[in-house]
Amino acid sequence: MIEGCNLIGGAALAGTGIEIHATEAASGKTLGPAWKGASDDDISRACNLAAAAFIPYRQTSVEERAVFLETIAENILAIGDELVTRCMAETGLPRGRIEGERGRTMMQLRLFAEVLRDGSYLDIRHDPALPDRKPAPCPDLRLMNQPLGPVAVFAASNFPLAFSVAGGDTASALAAGCPVLVKAHSAHPGTSELVGRAIVAAAEHCGMPAGVFALLYGPGNAIGQALVAHPTIKAVGFTGSRGGGMALMRTAAARPCPIPVYAEMSSINPVYLFPGALAERAEEIAKGFVGSLTLGAGQFCTNPGLVIAVEGVGLDRFLNAASESLNAASAQVMLTSGICQSYTEGVRKLSEHPAVAEVGRGTIGSDTQGQAALFQVDAETFLADASLHAEVFGAASLVIVCKDTGVFRQIAEALEGQLTCALHISESDHSLAADMMPTLEELAGRILCNGFGTGVEVAHAMVHGGPFPATSDGRSTSVGSLAIARFLRPVCYQDFPIGLLPKALR
Amino acid sequence: MIEGCNLIGGAALAGTGIEIHATEAASGKTLGPAWKGASDDDISRACNLAAAAFIPYRQTSVEERAVFLETIAENILAIGDELVTRCMAETGLPRGRIEGERGRTMMQLRLFAEVLRDGSYLDIRHDPALPDRKPAPCPDLRLMNQPLGPVAVFAASNFPLAFSVAGGDTASALAAGCPVLVKAHSAHPGTSELVGRAIVAAAEHCGMPAGVFALLYGPGNAIGQALVAHPTIKAVGFTGSRGGGMALMRTAAARPCPIPVYAEMSSINPVYLFPGALAERAEEIAKGFVGSLTLGAGQFCTNPGLVIAVEGVGLDRFLNAASESLNAASAQVMLTSGICQSYTEGVRKLSEHPAVAEVGRGTIGSDTQGQAALFQVDAETFLADASLHAEVFGAASLVIVCKDTGVFRQIAEALEGQLTCALHISESDHSLAADMMPTLEELAGRILCNGFGTGVEVAHAMVHGGPFPATSDGRSTSVGSLAIARFLRPVCYQDFPIGLLPKALR
């Protein structure tokens, strides 16, 4: 049921703020209904309800929270094809991708149910008392993690299910025991309402307090700033642009009581093509690269936006094969007209740069479609021109041509923090790769061999994070079971009677 | 050997900045030599040396780093009585306290050696590949923690050994694999140089890169701001005032690449006296309370600055006993004349507050000594007047008299974040205490029963941290083995050949 409503305190409410509309990504046509944005009063009420829900919600058992997460997953599936078709219309993404993402979203929710039942996320520690220690006895000390409090989540445009209303941030925060307030992304408001209602129904079904979840709509950044500034909010999850993330970071730092912001912002995901690998399989790598580059119209946080290689026959073979492969790549509908315009503008700037040469372009499409693009530039120009280090969100990439392995290594030292860094290597490259590892470990949250970063497994050992500006906090991940750690803090209990300890510590 | 030197790149160097002098705490007399502060060039050089040392230092084995930490501990002990007498002179703290603190400092260094050898701080995770998974194979994923990079440490005034040059921040950062730059506290510059030289000698003896440690002197905040703003610095550890910590937080957040700040700043450590406990043992609690209040002239981060109780016979007995005990408490030399003046001023303001009554005062001492003080105020006044919530650093405390247990509970909800909260309870108080636990768990990093927060065990389950403004980052602890987590970030290795993985992941 899509009615154009905010969801606050378990109820669907028409907002009173400025209206937003859904847009069919492929045609640019407006889709009904309209959503009136949450007013300042609505936001404040949702935040206060979340604060009131915090204590009862965190007091629920891990089993109750696990079942809540699993019920959300079931409810999302139960929406059926209405969710898939609406999401396809709003995002322009194909059915297979949306169905896959729905599965991933459910899997994430179920993973955190598993994490809860496993219990190791609590980091339980116990130092027993030493009553006879000299010169003073040692008390009994027990430690466990506790939730931070209500979390504001800013949904991403590019994963309308897996990084949106019931995405990884929401799942990990709810698992931790934190109520969640989601700012719906205006690029898929109908999808958001459907999923939000699935969460509200699960909360009701599982007897969770009504303030445990809210979904708020609104244009622009005002609603986000109001949420992050609200005193009841204790942490922020965000996936989006560098500008948007940094604005939230500033607001969070300027609060009377500053709070952590987990913002995933910007990454060009360098791909290192080592000489041995190019000699061995330049064409195969090129094919894989173009596949990764054009996946989902290039709208992945881990899209390979930068390729680094040493000049020579191997690189020439790669460039020829990539060019050929790319020339056959169809234009694809992008998520929003704004994203498409920014992409086209970014590509235009690259193409007009005097030192940048075109390697290949995909086919031209309609006004709502992005045309894939591959460029090349010499390393010296790249190192001297910071504008070439910026992310172009979409299926565009830049090959840095290095005159030797010294320059090849130097590029890694000149880059900003990244989500991923991919190495294409053969046996003969191991020594050079080993020398570069300490630099690459400082550069990125995930380093991968002979693959591309666009598949982000939901797993225990995943890190989807990385040094600034890839994220605002490189000590964390937003994908995988470790994501729950973002919303926890340790509490120590000293000399407590057993009956007063939290159940997990008894 | 105390020569009035900064320690940079393994060498003792006279600075070129403004001079500072040590002061004998008891007499206020200047002690030789003078220290010329580090210039901007010195700071920059130390930071760049730390950056250059980072890769070789983090590549050392855990055993090499463990031996390095143990060697620092041995070298500190080997300084012998020169360290103890200098530290006593500079701080006014008695021999027993300094010798105890030296033992604690060595124990902390050895604990982190143990943490390194144990290896669980690396949080190693492995999701093996699933080559046959449909629709796509699952890659091999391995995760381990890696160090953040060079850390700036700001030494505390109140623990001249355990929270200073070779204190918990330095020990945990060095253990993590991070080079450390310490800003010496101007209250104990000679102690700092002695300990700094012990670290430099250990680094040399253990073959560590020269940039792994630096000790920088200087007056005021300029040197601290320069350190925190330097692009090579990746994290900050600080123990000190709320104003000082927040200034560093602002600088860190305003950097082009923001960095985490672990600042321990301000806490009044509420002590809840429950009705049953007062009825049972008011006098005993009063005696323990005055002991904790006056320990080290009250100059503990965990000093009990606030007592909360319900009016009645039990509280009257507590107040009488506390008053009697306090009236016999000798004035004690405070760490610096500045701290003593701030303390005297804070006490004067309390005593002049129209709604605040004096419960007891310790004996009057000299100009460099603090006179202990206990006041009381009604809960309504306390709740309405934020000035009464501020820390008075020293042996002063305020008893909040509540008219019933409803108000008693309400106080906890009105307080800012705290390092500790102590509960004095008997069996009959368990039900009330259980009701209050969720609020107390949100309030403080450590909650303790029937004791006082002034003993902070160095242990695995210790949390010496807490919500803002107790610390800048309530997700962390600065005491105990978990302190190492502050200086680590997770890195994921996907589909790596075994030979290219870090040793710990093979």
Side-chain angles (χ1 to χ4, degrees), chain A residues 126 277 402:
Chain A
H126 184 200
C402 305

Side-chain angles (χ1 to χ4, degrees), chain A residues 63-142:
Chain A
E63 182 57 29
E64 287 168 322
R65 288 210 298 287
V67 169
F68 176 37
L69 295 174
E70 289 166 341
T71 307
I72 296 172
E74 285 154 27
N75 287 359
I76 289 171
L77 186 64
I79 304 168
D81 213 47
E82 182 185 5
L83 179 62
V84 178
T85 54
R86 177 76 189 196
C87 194
M88 287 167 64
E90 289 185 336
T91 64
L93 295 168
R95 174 174 287 272
R97 157 70 192 273
I98 298 301
E99 288 180 350
E101 202 180 313
R102 180 178 60 181
R104 180 191 179 94
T105 306
M106 294 169 60
M107 195 254 274
Q108 290 177 157
L109 289 157
R110 289 174 176 150
L111 171 73
F112 285 108
E114 221 180 85
V115 166
L116 285 174
R117 292 191 178 108
D118 170 73
S120 56
Y121 77 100
L122 294 172
D123 193 19
I124 287 175
R125 293 158 178 244
H126 184 200
D127 296 301
L130 301 170
D132 300 326
R133 193 186 62 172
K134 302 290 170 208
C138 176
D140 181 270
L141 296 167
R142 295 168 200 247

Side-chain angles (χ1 to χ4, degrees), chain B residues 231-393:
Chain B
T232 63
I233 299 298
K234 299 301 182 197
V236 178
F238 168 91
T239 306
S241 70
R242 185 165 177 173
M246 290 194 67
L248 298 183
M249 287 171 72
R250 281 191 296 271
T251 301
R255 288 167 48 120
C257 174
I259 55 172
V261 173
Y262 300 102
E264 187 201 311
M265 297 185 289
S266 172
S267 184
I268 53 176
N269 305 297
V271 175
Y272 264 96
L273 308 180
F274 282 68
L278 281 180
E280 219 174 76
R281 52 181 198 281
E283 290 76 12
E284 185 194 324
I285 296 171
K287 198 179 152 200
F289 166 71
V290 172
S292 175
L293 178 65
T294 56
L295 200 68
Q299 301 162 130
F300 278 68
C301 322
T302 50
N303 196 252
L306 200 70
V307 178
I308 304 125
V310 178
E311 62 187 11
V313 178
L315 177 57
D316 293 343
R317 282 169 49 209
F318 171 84
L319 291 171
N320 285 336
S323 169
E324 196 177 314
S325 188
L326 199 66
N327 293 344
S330 304
Q332 292 173 73
V333 174
M334 296 195 77
L335 291 161
T336 69
S337 58
I339 287 172
C340 195
Q341 277 162 26
S342 295
Y343 172 72
T344 305
E345 176 64 13
V347 168
R348 189 187 59 75
K349 277 191 188 157
L350 276 174
S351 68
E352 290 175 0
H353 192 292
V356 171
E358 186 179 302
V359 174
R361 296 296 302 263
T363 63
I364 299 178
S366 71
D367 280 358
T368 60
Q369 293 182 316
Q371 182 193 5
L374 183 62
F375 298 98
Q376 69 176 64
V377 71
D378 64 283
E380 290 64 32
T381 301
F382 179 78
L383 288 170
D385 186 348
S387 78
L388 294 174
H389 299 223
E391 184 179 15
V392 177
F393 189 71

Side-chain angles (χ1 to χ4, degrees), chain A residues 54-55 58-59 107 123 125-127 133 136-139 141-143 145-149 234 242 246 249 253 255-258 260-262 423 425 429-431 433-434 437-453 455 457 459-463 466-469 472-477 481-482 485-486 488-497 499-502, chain B residues 54-55 58-59 107 123 125-127 133 136-139 141-149 234 242 246 249 253 255-258 260-262 423 425 429-431 433-434 437-452 455 457 459-463 466-469 472-477 481-482 485-486 488-497 499-502:
Chain A
F54 179 44
I55 287 185
R58 53 173 286 217
Q59 300 291 94
M107 195 254 274
D123 193 19
R125 293 158 178 244
H126 184 200
D127 296 301
R133 193 186 62 172
C138 176
L141 296 167
R142 295 168 200 247
L143 177 150
N145 283 325
Q146 291 284 6
L148 289 181
K234 299 301 182 196
R242 184 166 177 171
M246 290 193 67
M249 288 171 71
R255 287 168 49 121
C257 173
V261 174
Y262 300 103
L423 314 183
I425 53 173
D429 300 312
H430 279 202
S431 159
M437 279 304 290
T439 303
L440 302 179
E441 286 166 331
E442 276 186 72
L443 179 66
R446 177 164 56 114
I447 317 168
L448 58 150
C449 281
N450 299 326
F452 296 92
E457 291 294 330
H460 298 295
M462 175 50 65
V463 178
F468 184 90
S472 56
D473 188 339
R475 295 165 295 172
S476 64
T477 176
S481 56
L482 190 54
R486 296 175 298 164
L488 297 169
R489 48 177 275 268
V491 175
C492 171
Y493 302 78
Q494 179 174 323
D495 282 338
F496 256 62
L500 282 178
L501 283 169
Chain B
F54 179 45
I55 287 183
R58 55 173 285 218
Q59 299 291 95
M107 194 253 276
D123 193 19
R125 293 158 178 245
H126 184 199
D127 295 302
R133 192 186 62 172
C138 176
L141 296 167
R142 295 168 201 248
L143 178 151
M144 71 177 279
N145 283 325
Q146 292 284 6
L148 289 181
K234 299 301 182 197
R242 185 165 177 173
M246 290 194 67
M249 287 171 72
R255 288 167 48 120
C257 174
V261 173
Y262 300 102
L423 315 183
I425 52 173
D429 300 312
H430 279 203
S431 160
M437 280 304 289
T439 303
L440 302 179
E441 287 166 332
E442 277 186 69
L443 179 66
R446 177 165 55 115
I447 316 168
L448 58 149
C449 280
N450 298 327
F452 296 92
E457 291 293 331
H460 298 295
M462 175 50 65
V463 177
F468 184 89
S472 57
D473 188 340
R475 296 164 296 172
S476 65
T477 176
S481 57
L482 191 54
R486 297 176 298 165
L488 297 169
R489 49 176 274 267
V491 175
C492 171
Y493 302 78
Q494 178 174 323
D495 283 338
F496 256 63
L500 281 178
L501 283 169

